[in-house]
Amino acid sequence: VAMPRVVSPPELPGALEEAGQRLRDGRLVAFSTETVYGLGANALSAAACLGVFQAKQRPLTDPLICHVPSVDEAVKLLVLTEAEEVAVRRLGGRVLAWPPLV
């Protein structure tokens, strides 16, 4: 397992490109948030998601979060009945985003 590389602000643009390429390649990316460190993967890659479970020794019954830029993009990833899609579209902008959109 390769050791993580700490990125300082002057290196940030290159590091973001590197992180994007790692995600596209199905590899994991660690990142800091306001309070903790996160471990990211391509949510559309089963192998990459399994890598998160393995790296964190997380049970497969403990779901992962998938971040999407909009309700439209979320709907594309879901299998919904017509009524469920209506509900997601009505509520999605308020409950699927943080901070909530107003």
Side-chain angles (χ1 to χ4, degrees):
V1 175
M3 292 299 295
R5 182 170 66 87
V6 176
V7 177
S8 62
E11 297 178 76
L12 191 57
L16 293 176
E17 289 176 18
E18 180 183 341
Q21 188 60 53
R22 287 166 127 352
L23 293 172
R24 286 186 292 279
D25 292 342
R27 296 163 63 192
L28 305 182
V29 175
F31 54 91
S32 62
T33 69
E34 297 85 8
T35 57
V36 297
Y37 285 94
L39 191 58
N42 179 346
L44 303 179
S45 166
C49 291
L50 185 57
V52 173
F53 285 101
Q54 291 170 338
K56 296 179 81 173
Q57 298 180 356
R58 184 180 185 140
L60 293 175
T61 55
D62 190 1
L64 300 176
I65 296 169
C66 176
H67 295 275
V68 292
S70 67
V71 173
D72 287 336
E73 292 300 316
V75 166
K76 290 178 187 177
L77 298 174
L78 302 170
V79 177
L80 302 169
T81 66
E82 188 175 329
E84 290 167 337
E85 183 173 342
V86 168
V88 166
R89 290 189 180 281
R90 284 186 182 160
L91 299 173
R94 290 176 178 80
V95 299
L96 297 179
W98 187 258
L101 304 173
V102 287

